[in-house]
Amino acid sequence: MLKFLRKSLQTGLVTTQYPRLPDLPPENFLGAPVINFEKISIERLKEAEKVCPTGAIAVETDGTRSKASLSYASCIFCGRCAEAVPEAITMSQEFELATFFKARLITSAEYVDGKLTGVHLPKREASIEELGERVRDEIFKTLGRSLHIRHVDAGSCNGCELEIAALQNPIFDLERFGMHFVASPRHADMLLVTGPVTRNLEIALQKTYEATPDPKVVVAVGACGCSGGIFGESYASRGGVDKIVPVDIYIPGCPPRPQALLHGLLLAMGRLSIH
Amino acid sequence: MSSRLIMETLQSEFADHLAKIYVQHEDEIQVELLSERLDWLPKICLFVHHQWKAFFVSAWASDGCKQEHQFKLHYLFSLDNEKLFLVIHAPVSADQPDFPSVAAHLIAANWAEREIQDTFGLTAVGHPNPKALWSHPDWPSSTFAMRKDFSIHSNPTRVDGDFPIASVEGEGVLEIPVGPIHAGIIEPGHFRFSVAGEPIIRLQAQLFYTHKGTEKLAEGLSPERVLHLSERVSGDSTFGHSTAFCHAVERMCGLTIPERAQSLRILCLELERIHNHLSDIGMIANDVAFLIGYAHAMRVREDVMSLNERLWGSRLIRGVNALGGVRRDLSLSIIPEIKSLMIKVREELRELDQILMNSASVVDRLETTGILHQSTAKDIGIVGIAGRASGLDRDFRRDHPHLGYSRLTFNVPTRQTGDVMARTQVRIDEVMESTQIIEQILQKIPDGPIKISTPELPKSAFALGYCEGWRGPILHALETDSHGAITRYKIDDPSFHNWPALLFAVQGNIVPDFPLINKSFNLSYSGNDR
């Protein structure tokens, strides 16, 4: 017993200071890709589209007009686009991508005759006014200080599970925020759903959703949860959590690093200052 | 024994039944059966199994109905002592879609043949337990997802049906259904325990909940895209699966990757082994309510994860593997950091090992719990750490040297008792080995390129790719059509072979020990279901 105590005292405090202090990922981190639309031609955008394994980069051309878009909901952060078009696409260190609205995960630009006419950059997060309009806003008020989370794997590759499980280790220590993983949806305020929702888990996800008492929050985790990711829609995959149950918060990543998950969860609880 | 001698023996034994026999990629003996001699398939498999003590590795089918009006079966054996693979290819006519079951004689082929039945609609005649494995009860019975005439975008209507669960009857026998949504942060699957009091009489499992159609998705895609799919077969084995896929492509194109790339791949594979083993050791401590053990193991694991992030930009080592090498290089400046972390991991684990093994509450729960006997493990074809903990001394790193593992010295830790304790200790020993493998790599990391360009895939080719992942051997098989496009991609995760072991190991144990036994195997649902 004394040995344990000594070991613990020797080890000291290991818990991260995030989110009180920023936790900047390393320089070569594969974070959110950023397209410099000023510097890129439609042809080069199409090359990026071609190498993108999930269709996160899409270019549509209609006569002289073209529209290019990049969605962090389906991006798997592989860095292929930045390799193919290094002069205009970079992998940033940005990882705090969680949002209430899927539309905010999309960056797009319009071109006429190959000339850039407009860029729509996503706002980082909803303004307070917009949040006020949200039907589910009440929930966040109710859940303000404590949150019980039920994790639901709807067909994930288990990458997201590794990172969610890491939230419980002494480094990330989720419980310091009053957040707690529970064993049953009946005990839960929040469903943390991973995976593209496979055909074989569709019904289980629905039943889990129904078994969770109101008010409840659903969080879609990872590229698969946000959009179906690399698996997309097929005989085996439904293509994202919001195809089956309403989703309140999207946490992109493949998988999101634990800090990104933490960011999303705190955002859900209304405990992050609105950017 | 040389591959020539093996071919001569097969030739003299089965000359009338074989269409072709040849060596490919140095260590693959390819045996093609004549189409009218399909009934000889089990005999040849058994001959190979007995004659050279060959282990059954995997069996799968492919659909060549459009071109040749036939399906093809592939049975893969490993001749560990000879460092060879032997693949038996057997054509099955589309007019008569059945074949004689090999599993009837070699039970290790049990699940593989049932999957072939469910996904290709080829009947394994004489299979001892031919019930559905892959198909869920709401999947229509005459729809076969891996056939070429089944579109990946179709959505078969659900039908009524129940799981084929055998009932256990008797006084005081209860059934406990568990899942598919489990109580922890783990993957989904359905378990049905039949218990009398606390001891488990029988456990039945319904898996394939996380089936994502990965193999089918790969068909027709460019290898660069399939590489990213392979990284997502099982998240915990991201690098293992992507290495196996790259290996398959590289062998198909006849490429040998630069030595520096080989060393970097070994580095990644061993880092993956270390972080998963540390996590498992921690979770095993957690499952016996020894939280201090959990906390320390997870703390050290987190050091490895953040090292991964600094080295490769990804904690799970995603986006690192490339066809023909690796995408990310190692900078000289970070090498001392890796070295000191390896020393730290060893010291911390040694201390943790002592803490765990000197705690009666831990030892009492681990010893004699969830025993998998060596004979059972051998018969049902258990691989990887689970096999080594039951005395099966097999490791692809030594038995099928790849990536320059033959240039390194390392031990393959084994245990004989086959209980949770043995599986824990094999993990502890393996982490120790991995840290010194990494030290060897860093000692003499060769200079040079980290990647060579890969040509287009050759036409109508077949290749195996493999590596020893942290859980066990990972094997991928790749086939291309007459245009050089991927027409079949078979993914073989060790979990697929080891799930049946769990069903044996829990028998006679009490229900509260199930999570512990399950954790000690730590099988991937996603790798199994794909």
Side-chain angles (χ1 to χ4, degrees), chain A residues 4 7 11 26 28-30 50 52 78 80 83 150 155-158 163 169 172 198-200 202 235 254 257, chain B residues 152 154 156 158 182-184 187 208-209 211-212 225 228 232 235-236 302 309 313 315 318 327-328 348 351:
Chain A
F4 303 164
K7 177 75 190 153
T11 308
N28 62 350
F29 180 67
L30 292 167
K50 215 176 124 196
C52 179
C78 64
R80 287 269 173 210
E83 267 175 16
R150 172 63 249 180
S156 141
C157 75
N158 81 29
E163 299 299 49
N169 72 28
F172 297 106
T198 58
R199 172 191 167 95
N200 292 343
E202 182 182 359
Y235 75 95
C254 194
R257 67 201 291 251
Chain B
I152 186 149
S154 51
R158 292 184 196 271
H182 291 162
E187 299 178 75
F208 296 91
Y209 278 95
H211 175 72
K212 295 180 274 290
R225 282 198 179 198
H228 292 295
R232 285 153 183 88
D236 51 21
E302 199 52 46
E309 198 174 49
R315 289 163 53 93
R318 283 190 168 163
R327 283 166 69 194
R328 308 203 133 204
E348 293 268 8
E351 199 179 345

Short mmCIF file of all heavy atoms in Angstrom, two decimals, chain A residues 4 7 11 26 28-30 50 52 78 80 83 150 155-158 163 169 172 198-200 202 235 254 257, chain B residues 152 154 156 158 182-184 187 208-209 211-212 225 228 232 235-236 302 309 313 315 318 327-328 348 351:
data_model
loop_
_atom_site.label_atom_id
_atom_site.label_comp_id
_atom_site.label_asym_id
_atom_site.label_seq_id
_atom_site.Cartn_x
_atom_site.Cartn_y
_atom_site.Cartn_z
N PHE A 4 2.30 1.93 -3.36
CA PHE A 4 1.38 2.60 -4.29
C PHE A 4 1.41 4.10 -4.05
O PHE A 4 1.46 4.91 -4.96
CB PHE A 4 -0.07 2.13 -4.11
CG PHE A 4 -0.26 0.65 -4.27
CD1 PHE A 4 -1.44 0.06 -3.82
CD2 PHE A 4 0.70 -0.15 -4.86
CE1 PHE A 4 -1.63 -1.29 -3.96
CE2 PHE A 4 0.51 -1.51 -4.99
CZ PHE A 4 -0.66 -2.09 -4.54
N LYS A 7 4.56 5.66 -5.23
CA LYS A 7 4.55 5.75 -6.69
C LYS A 7 3.71 6.95 -7.15
O LYS A 7 4.11 7.73 -8.02
CB LYS A 7 4.00 4.44 -7.28
CG LYS A 7 3.86 4.41 -8.78
CD LYS A 7 5.19 4.27 -9.47
CE LYS A 7 5.07 4.48 -10.96
NZ LYS A 7 6.31 4.97 -11.56
N THR A 11 4.95 10.34 -9.01
CA THR A 11 4.45 10.69 -10.34
C THR A 11 3.93 12.12 -10.37
O THR A 11 4.13 12.84 -11.34
CB THR A 11 3.32 9.72 -10.75
OG1 THR A 11 3.80 8.40 -10.58
CG2 THR A 11 2.92 9.93 -12.20
N PRO A 26 1.71 19.30 -32.55
CA PRO A 26 3.03 19.47 -33.15
C PRO A 26 2.93 20.05 -34.57
O PRO A 26 1.88 20.01 -35.20
CB PRO A 26 3.60 18.06 -33.18
CG PRO A 26 2.45 17.15 -32.98
CD PRO A 26 1.44 17.90 -32.21
N ASN A 28 3.99 19.12 -37.49
CA ASN A 28 3.61 18.29 -38.63
C ASN A 28 2.23 17.65 -38.45
O ASN A 28 1.87 16.72 -39.15
CB ASN A 28 4.67 17.22 -38.89
CG ASN A 28 4.81 16.27 -37.72
OD1 ASN A 28 4.26 16.53 -36.66
ND2 ASN A 28 5.52 15.19 -37.90
N PHE A 29 1.47 18.13 -37.48
CA PHE A 29 0.14 17.59 -37.19
C PHE A 29 -0.77 17.66 -38.42
O PHE A 29 -0.77 18.65 -39.16
CB PHE A 29 -0.48 18.39 -36.05
CG PHE A 29 -1.85 17.93 -35.64
CD1 PHE A 29 -2.04 16.69 -35.04
CD2 PHE A 29 -2.97 18.73 -35.86
CE1 PHE A 29 -3.30 16.26 -34.66
CE2 PHE A 29 -4.24 18.30 -35.48
CZ PHE A 29 -4.39 17.07 -34.88
N LEU A 30 -1.53 16.58 -38.63
CA LEU A 30 -2.48 16.57 -39.73
C LEU A 30 -3.80 17.14 -39.23
O LEU A 30 -4.71 16.41 -38.86
CB LEU A 30 -2.63 15.16 -40.28
CG LEU A 30 -1.39 14.59 -41.00
CD1 LEU A 30 -1.51 13.10 -41.24
CD2 LEU A 30 -1.17 15.31 -42.33
N LYS A 50 -9.58 14.96 -57.01
CA LYS A 50 -9.29 13.62 -57.50
C LYS A 50 -8.58 12.76 -56.44
O LYS A 50 -8.83 11.56 -56.33
CB LYS A 50 -8.43 13.70 -58.76
CG LYS A 50 -8.75 12.63 -59.78
CD LYS A 50 -7.94 12.82 -61.05
CE LYS A 50 -7.14 11.57 -61.34
NZ LYS A 50 -6.07 11.78 -62.30
N CYS A 52 -8.70 13.22 -53.16
CA CYS A 52 -9.42 13.16 -51.89
C CYS A 52 -10.16 11.84 -51.78
O CYS A 52 -11.01 11.53 -52.60
CB CYS A 52 -10.40 14.32 -51.77
SG CYS A 52 -11.33 14.26 -50.22
N CYS A 78 -6.08 13.18 -44.19
CA CYS A 78 -4.99 12.33 -44.66
C CYS A 78 -3.86 13.16 -45.26
O CYS A 78 -2.74 12.67 -45.39
CB CYS A 78 -5.51 11.33 -45.69
SG CYS A 78 -6.15 12.08 -47.20
N ARG A 80 -3.62 14.23 -48.36
CA ARG A 80 -3.36 13.99 -49.78
C ARG A 80 -3.48 15.27 -50.61
O ARG A 80 -2.70 15.50 -51.53
CB ARG A 80 -4.36 12.97 -50.33
CG ARG A 80 -4.13 11.59 -49.88
CD ARG A 80 -3.23 10.86 -50.85
NE ARG A 80 -2.89 9.57 -50.28
CZ ARG A 80 -1.76 8.91 -50.50
NH1 ARG A 80 -0.85 9.42 -51.29
NH2 ARG A 80 -1.54 7.75 -49.93
N GLU A 83 -0.55 17.42 -50.37
CA GLU A 83 0.58 16.86 -51.12
C GLU A 83 0.44 17.13 -52.61
O GLU A 83 1.41 17.41 -53.30
CB GLU A 83 0.66 15.35 -50.91
CG GLU A 83 1.56 14.92 -49.78
CD GLU A 83 1.50 13.42 -49.55
OE1 GLU A 83 1.00 12.66 -50.43
OE2 GLU A 83 1.95 13.02 -48.48
N ARG A 150 -23.51 8.53 -22.71
CA ARG A 150 -23.55 7.13 -23.13
C ARG A 150 -22.87 7.08 -24.51
O ARG A 150 -23.30 7.76 -25.44
CB ARG A 150 -25.01 6.67 -23.20
CG ARG A 150 -25.30 5.30 -23.80
CD ARG A 150 -24.70 4.19 -23.03
NE ARG A 150 -23.63 3.63 -23.83
CZ ARG A 150 -22.86 2.61 -23.47
NH1 ARG A 150 -22.98 2.07 -22.30
NH2 ARG A 150 -21.95 2.17 -24.26
N GLY A 155 -20.76 1.44 -35.63
CA GLY A 155 -20.02 0.84 -36.73
C GLY A 155 -18.66 1.44 -36.96
O GLY A 155 -18.11 1.35 -38.05
N SER A 156 -18.12 2.05 -35.94
CA SER A 156 -16.81 2.69 -36.06
C SER A 156 -15.70 1.67 -36.28
O SER A 156 -15.87 0.48 -36.06
CB SER A 156 -16.56 3.48 -34.77
OG SER A 156 -15.25 3.40 -34.36
N CYS A 157 -14.52 2.16 -36.73
CA CYS A 157 -13.37 1.27 -36.91
C CYS A 157 -12.65 1.05 -35.59
O CYS A 157 -11.63 0.40 -35.56
CB CYS A 157 -12.41 1.84 -37.95
SG CYS A 157 -11.42 3.23 -37.34
N ASN A 158 -13.10 1.64 -34.54
CA ASN A 158 -12.59 1.66 -33.17
C ASN A 158 -11.49 2.69 -32.94
O ASN A 158 -10.97 2.80 -31.84
CB ASN A 158 -12.26 0.26 -32.61
CG ASN A 158 -10.90 -0.32 -33.02
OD1 ASN A 158 -9.94 0.40 -33.28
ND2 ASN A 158 -10.84 -1.63 -33.07
N GLU A 163 -9.80 7.01 -28.74
CA GLU A 163 -9.63 8.39 -28.28
C GLU A 163 -10.68 8.76 -27.24
O GLU A 163 -10.40 9.54 -26.34
CB GLU A 163 -9.66 9.35 -29.48
CG GLU A 163 -8.55 9.12 -30.50
CD GLU A 163 -7.13 9.29 -29.95
OE1 GLU A 163 -6.84 8.72 -28.89
OE2 GLU A 163 -6.33 10.00 -30.58
N ASN A 169 -8.46 8.62 -19.12
CA ASN A 169 -7.16 8.38 -18.50
C ASN A 169 -6.74 9.59 -17.65
O ASN A 169 -7.38 10.64 -17.72
CB ASN A 169 -6.11 7.97 -19.56
CG ASN A 169 -5.70 9.12 -20.47
OD1 ASN A 169 -5.73 10.27 -20.08
ND2 ASN A 169 -5.28 8.79 -21.67
N PHE A 172 -6.33 13.22 -19.50
CA PHE A 172 -7.46 14.04 -19.93
C PHE A 172 -8.57 14.12 -18.88
O PHE A 172 -9.30 15.09 -18.83
CB PHE A 172 -7.98 13.53 -21.28
CG PHE A 172 -6.95 13.66 -22.35
CD1 PHE A 172 -6.28 12.56 -22.85
CD2 PHE A 172 -6.59 14.91 -22.83
CE1 PHE A 172 -5.29 12.69 -23.81
CE2 PHE A 172 -5.60 15.06 -23.78
CZ PHE A 172 -4.95 13.95 -24.28
N THR A 198 -23.90 1.52 -39.47
CA THR A 198 -24.02 0.38 -40.38
C THR A 198 -25.47 -0.09 -40.42
O THR A 198 -26.25 0.20 -39.53
CB THR A 198 -23.14 -0.79 -39.90
OG1 THR A 198 -23.54 -1.15 -38.58
CG2 THR A 198 -21.67 -0.41 -39.89
N ARG A 199 -25.78 -0.79 -41.48
CA ARG A 199 -27.11 -1.37 -41.61
C ARG A 199 -27.45 -2.19 -40.36
O ARG A 199 -28.56 -2.11 -39.83
CB ARG A 199 -27.12 -2.29 -42.85
CG ARG A 199 -28.36 -3.12 -43.01
CD ARG A 199 -28.17 -4.19 -44.09
NE ARG A 199 -29.24 -5.17 -44.04
CZ ARG A 199 -30.33 -5.12 -44.79
NH1 ARG A 199 -30.49 -4.16 -45.65
NH2 ARG A 199 -31.27 -6.04 -44.67
N ASN A 200 -26.45 -2.94 -39.88
CA ASN A 200 -26.70 -3.83 -38.75
C ASN A 200 -26.81 -3.13 -37.41
O ASN A 200 -27.15 -3.75 -36.41
CB ASN A 200 -25.62 -4.92 -38.69
CG ASN A 200 -25.71 -5.88 -39.87
OD1 ASN A 200 -26.74 -5.92 -40.54
ND2 ASN A 200 -24.66 -6.62 -40.13
N GLU A 202 -28.26 0.17 -37.30
CA GLU A 202 -29.23 1.23 -37.47
C GLU A 202 -30.36 1.12 -36.43
O GLU A 202 -30.70 2.10 -35.74
CB GLU A 202 -29.81 1.15 -38.89
CG GLU A 202 -30.81 2.22 -39.21
CD GLU A 202 -31.38 2.04 -40.62
OE1 GLU A 202 -30.96 1.09 -41.33
OE2 GLU A 202 -32.24 2.84 -40.99
N TYR A 235 -24.62 -0.55 -49.24
CA TYR A 235 -25.53 -1.56 -48.70
C TYR A 235 -25.29 -1.76 -47.21
O TYR A 235 -26.19 -2.18 -46.47
CB TYR A 235 -25.35 -2.89 -49.45
CG TYR A 235 -24.10 -3.65 -49.08
CD1 TYR A 235 -24.13 -4.66 -48.13
CD2 TYR A 235 -22.87 -3.38 -49.69
CE1 TYR A 235 -22.98 -5.36 -47.79
CE2 TYR A 235 -21.73 -4.06 -49.35
CZ TYR A 235 -21.78 -5.05 -48.40
OH TYR A 235 -20.63 -5.73 -48.06
N CYS A 254 -10.45 12.19 -37.69
CA CYS A 254 -10.45 10.77 -38.06
C CYS A 254 -9.27 10.07 -37.43
O CYS A 254 -8.32 9.75 -38.09
CB CYS A 254 -10.41 10.60 -39.58
SG CYS A 254 -10.80 8.91 -40.07
N ARG A 257 -8.54 14.04 -32.01
CA ARG A 257 -7.67 13.80 -30.85
C ARG A 257 -8.46 14.10 -29.58
O ARG A 257 -9.46 14.83 -29.62
CB ARG A 257 -6.38 14.62 -30.97
CG ARG A 257 -6.57 16.12 -30.88
CD ARG A 257 -5.41 16.90 -31.49
NE ARG A 257 -4.15 16.84 -30.79
CZ ARG A 257 -3.59 17.84 -30.10
NH1 ARG A 257 -4.23 19.01 -29.99
NH2 ARG A 257 -2.44 17.71 -29.53
N ILE B 152 -23.00 -2.40 -54.83
CA ILE B 152 -22.66 -1.89 -53.49
C ILE B 152 -23.68 -0.86 -53.02
O ILE B 152 -23.85 -0.63 -51.83
CB ILE B 152 -21.23 -1.32 -53.48
CG1 ILE B 152 -20.82 -0.94 -52.05
CG2 ILE B 152 -21.08 -0.11 -54.41
CD1 ILE B 152 -19.39 -1.06 -51.76
N SER B 154 -26.93 -1.07 -53.45
CA SER B 154 -28.27 -1.61 -53.22
C SER B 154 -28.58 -1.60 -51.72
O SER B 154 -27.69 -1.45 -50.89
CB SER B 154 -28.38 -3.02 -53.78
OG SER B 154 -27.31 -3.80 -53.31
N PRO B 156 -30.91 -4.03 -49.64
CA PRO B 156 -31.88 -5.12 -49.55
C PRO B 156 -32.89 -4.89 -48.42
O PRO B 156 -32.53 -4.44 -47.33
CB PRO B 156 -31.00 -6.34 -49.24
CG PRO B 156 -29.63 -5.97 -49.65
CD PRO B 156 -29.53 -4.49 -49.47
N ARG B 158 -35.25 -5.46 -45.40
CA ARG B 158 -35.09 -6.33 -44.22
C ARG B 158 -36.17 -7.40 -44.22
O ARG B 158 -37.31 -7.14 -44.58
CB ARG B 158 -35.20 -5.52 -42.94
CG ARG B 158 -34.04 -4.55 -42.73
CD ARG B 158 -34.17 -3.85 -41.39
NE ARG B 158 -33.31 -2.68 -41.31
CZ ARG B 158 -32.03 -2.70 -40.89
NH1 ARG B 158 -31.50 -3.85 -40.52
NH2 ARG B 158 -31.33 -1.60 -40.83
N HIS B 182 -22.90 -2.11 -25.82
CA HIS B 182 -22.32 -2.57 -24.56
C HIS B 182 -22.23 -1.45 -23.54
O HIS B 182 -22.38 -0.27 -23.86
CB HIS B 182 -20.94 -3.16 -24.81
CG HIS B 182 -20.98 -4.44 -25.57
ND1 HIS B 182 -19.90 -4.97 -26.21
CD2 HIS B 182 -22.00 -5.28 -25.81
CE1 HIS B 182 -20.25 -6.09 -26.80
NE2 HIS B 182 -21.53 -6.29 -26.59
N ALA B 183 -21.90 -1.85 -22.31
CA ALA B 183 -21.91 -0.87 -21.22
C ALA B 183 -20.66 0.00 -21.17
O ALA B 183 -20.67 1.05 -20.57
CB ALA B 183 -22.10 -1.58 -19.89
N GLY B 184 -19.59 -0.43 -21.79
CA GLY B 184 -18.36 0.37 -21.73
C GLY B 184 -18.12 1.11 -23.02
O GLY B 184 -18.98 1.17 -23.89
N GLU B 187 -16.73 -1.77 -28.67
CA GLU B 187 -17.45 -1.93 -29.92
C GLU B 187 -18.69 -2.82 -29.72
O GLU B 187 -18.83 -3.47 -28.70
CB GLU B 187 -16.51 -2.54 -30.96
CG GLU B 187 -15.30 -1.66 -31.24
CD GLU B 187 -14.37 -2.32 -32.22
OE1 GLU B 187 -14.72 -2.34 -33.41
OE2 GLU B 187 -13.33 -2.82 -31.81
N PHE B 208 -20.52 -9.12 -36.54
CA PHE B 208 -20.75 -8.49 -37.85
C PHE B 208 -21.73 -7.32 -37.78
O PHE B 208 -22.31 -6.95 -38.78
CB PHE B 208 -21.16 -9.54 -38.89
CG PHE B 208 -20.07 -10.54 -39.12
CD1 PHE B 208 -20.02 -11.71 -38.38
CD2 PHE B 208 -19.05 -10.28 -40.01
CE1 PHE B 208 -18.97 -12.61 -38.54
CE2 PHE B 208 -18.00 -11.17 -40.18
CZ PHE B 208 -17.96 -12.34 -39.45
N TYR B 209 -21.87 -6.74 -36.60
CA TYR B 209 -22.68 -5.52 -36.51
C TYR B 209 -21.98 -4.34 -37.19
O TYR B 209 -22.62 -3.45 -37.71
CB TYR B 209 -22.93 -5.17 -35.03
CG TYR B 209 -24.07 -5.95 -34.43
CD1 TYR B 209 -23.84 -7.12 -33.73
CD2 TYR B 209 -25.37 -5.51 -34.57
CE1 TYR B 209 -24.88 -7.84 -33.18
CE2 TYR B 209 -26.43 -6.22 -34.03
CZ TYR B 209 -26.18 -7.38 -33.33
OH TYR B 209 -27.22 -8.09 -32.80
N HIS B 211 -20.13 -4.35 -39.78
CA HIS B 211 -19.75 -4.60 -41.18
C HIS B 211 -19.99 -3.36 -42.02
O HIS B 211 -21.10 -2.86 -42.09
CB HIS B 211 -20.53 -5.78 -41.74
CG HIS B 211 -20.26 -6.00 -43.21
ND1 HIS B 211 -19.07 -6.51 -43.65
CD2 HIS B 211 -21.00 -5.74 -44.31
CE1 HIS B 211 -19.09 -6.55 -44.99
NE2 HIS B 211 -20.25 -6.08 -45.40
N LYS B 212 -18.92 -2.88 -42.66
CA LYS B 212 -19.01 -1.63 -43.41
C LYS B 212 -18.78 -1.86 -44.90
O LYS B 212 -18.59 -0.90 -45.65
CB LYS B 212 -17.96 -0.64 -42.87
CG LYS B 212 -18.24 -0.21 -41.44
CD LYS B 212 -17.21 0.77 -40.91
CE LYS B 212 -16.01 0.10 -40.32
NZ LYS B 212 -16.25 -0.60 -39.05
N ARG B 225 -6.38 4.96 -52.85
CA ARG B 225 -7.59 5.13 -52.03
C ARG B 225 -7.79 3.95 -51.09
O ARG B 225 -8.19 4.12 -49.94
CB ARG B 225 -8.81 5.26 -52.93
CG ARG B 225 -8.90 6.62 -53.52
CD ARG B 225 -10.29 6.89 -54.02
NE ARG B 225 -10.29 8.25 -54.55
CZ ARG B 225 -11.38 8.94 -54.76
NH1 ARG B 225 -12.55 8.43 -54.52
NH2 ARG B 225 -11.31 10.16 -55.22
N HIS B 228 -6.15 4.13 -47.77
CA HIS B 228 -6.82 4.84 -46.68
C HIS B 228 -7.94 3.99 -46.07
O HIS B 228 -8.21 4.09 -44.88
CB HIS B 228 -7.35 6.19 -47.15
CG HIS B 228 -6.24 7.14 -47.47
ND1 HIS B 228 -5.38 7.60 -46.51
CD2 HIS B 228 -5.81 7.66 -48.64
CE1 HIS B 228 -4.48 8.39 -47.07
NE2 HIS B 228 -4.71 8.44 -48.36
N ARG B 232 -8.39 2.01 -41.98
CA ARG B 232 -9.61 2.10 -41.17
C ARG B 232 -10.34 0.77 -41.05
O ARG B 232 -11.54 0.72 -40.82
CB ARG B 232 -10.53 3.19 -41.76
CG ARG B 232 -9.98 4.56 -41.42
CD ARG B 232 -10.34 5.65 -42.38
NE ARG B 232 -9.71 6.90 -41.98
CZ ARG B 232 -8.48 7.27 -42.35
NH1 ARG B 232 -7.77 6.50 -43.15
NH2 ARG B 232 -7.96 8.39 -41.92
N GLY B 235 -9.13 0.46 -36.14
CA GLY B 235 -8.39 1.66 -35.74
C GLY B 235 -7.15 1.38 -34.91
O GLY B 235 -6.12 2.02 -35.10
N ASP B 236 -7.25 0.38 -34.01
CA ASP B 236 -6.10 0.10 -33.16
C ASP B 236 -4.95 -0.52 -33.94
O ASP B 236 -3.82 -0.54 -33.48
CB ASP B 236 -6.51 -0.79 -31.98
CG ASP B 236 -7.28 -2.02 -32.42
OD1 ASP B 236 -7.16 -2.42 -33.58
OD2 ASP B 236 -8.01 -2.60 -31.58
N GLU B 302 -0.10 7.15 -22.81
CA GLU B 302 -0.36 8.48 -23.36
C GLU B 302 0.95 9.14 -23.82
O GLU B 302 0.96 9.87 -24.80
CB GLU B 302 -1.06 9.33 -22.29
CG GLU B 302 -1.79 10.54 -22.82
CD GLU B 302 -2.76 10.26 -23.96
OE1 GLU B 302 -3.55 9.29 -23.87
OE2 GLU B 302 -2.72 11.01 -24.94
N GLU B 309 2.18 11.40 -32.15
CA GLU B 309 1.67 12.63 -32.74
C GLU B 309 2.83 13.54 -33.15
O GLU B 309 2.80 14.16 -34.21
CB GLU B 309 0.75 13.34 -31.76
CG GLU B 309 -0.16 14.37 -32.41
CD GLU B 309 -1.17 14.94 -31.44
OE1 GLU B 309 -0.77 15.34 -30.33
OE2 GLU B 309 -2.36 15.00 -31.78
N GLY B 313 2.50 13.13 -36.79
CA GLY B 313 1.36 14.04 -36.96
C GLY B 313 0.02 13.38 -36.69
O GLY B 313 -1.03 13.99 -36.90
N ARG B 315 -1.84 10.47 -33.88
CA ARG B 315 -1.69 9.59 -32.71
C ARG B 315 -1.84 8.13 -33.08
O ARG B 315 -1.22 7.26 -32.48
CB ARG B 315 -2.72 9.97 -31.64
CG ARG B 315 -2.40 11.29 -30.96
CD ARG B 315 -3.61 11.86 -30.23
NE ARG B 315 -4.21 10.92 -29.31
CZ ARG B 315 -3.92 10.83 -28.02
NH1 ARG B 315 -3.04 11.64 -27.49
NH2 ARG B 315 -4.52 9.95 -27.24
N ARG B 318 -1.90 7.39 -38.60
CA ARG B 318 -2.64 7.41 -39.87
C ARG B 318 -1.95 8.35 -40.85
O ARG B 318 -1.31 9.31 -40.44
CB ARG B 318 -4.09 7.87 -39.63
CG ARG B 318 -4.88 6.75 -39.03
CD ARG B 318 -6.35 7.01 -38.97
NE ARG B 318 -6.97 5.72 -38.65
CZ ARG B 318 -8.20 5.57 -38.20
NH1 ARG B 318 -8.96 6.61 -38.03
NH2 ARG B 318 -8.67 4.37 -37.94
N ARG B 327 5.24 8.06 -45.96
CA ARG B 327 5.10 9.45 -46.39
C ARG B 327 5.85 10.42 -45.51
O ARG B 327 6.08 11.55 -45.90
CB ARG B 327 3.61 9.84 -46.39
CG ARG B 327 2.86 9.29 -47.59
CD ARG B 327 1.36 9.39 -47.39
NE ARG B 327 0.87 10.75 -47.40
CZ ARG B 327 -0.35 11.10 -46.98
NH1 ARG B 327 -1.16 10.17 -46.52
NH2 ARG B 327 -0.74 12.36 -47.03
N ARG B 328 6.17 10.00 -44.30
CA ARG B 328 6.76 10.95 -43.35
C ARG B 328 8.10 10.43 -42.85
O ARG B 328 8.23 9.27 -42.48
CB ARG B 328 5.80 11.18 -42.20
CG ARG B 328 4.41 11.55 -42.71
CD ARG B 328 3.62 12.29 -41.69
NE ARG B 328 3.00 13.45 -42.31
CZ ARG B 328 2.64 14.53 -41.64
NH1 ARG B 328 2.85 14.60 -40.35
NH2 ARG B 328 2.07 15.53 -42.27
N GLU B 348 9.07 1.95 -16.24
CA GLU B 348 7.72 2.07 -15.68
C GLU B 348 6.99 0.74 -15.69
O GLU B 348 6.30 0.38 -14.75
CB GLU B 348 6.91 3.11 -16.47
CG GLU B 348 7.41 4.53 -16.33
CD GLU B 348 6.72 5.29 -15.21
OE1 GLU B 348 5.97 4.65 -14.44
OE2 GLU B 348 6.95 6.51 -15.10
N GLU B 351 8.22 -1.67 -13.07
CA GLU B 351 7.68 -1.31 -11.77
C GLU B 351 6.20 -1.70 -11.67
O GLU B 351 5.75 -2.28 -10.68
CB GLU B 351 7.84 0.19 -11.57
CG GLU B 351 7.74 0.63 -10.14
CD GLU B 351 7.93 2.14 -10.00
OE1 GLU B 351 8.40 2.79 -10.96
OE2 GLU B 351 7.59 2.67 -8.95
#
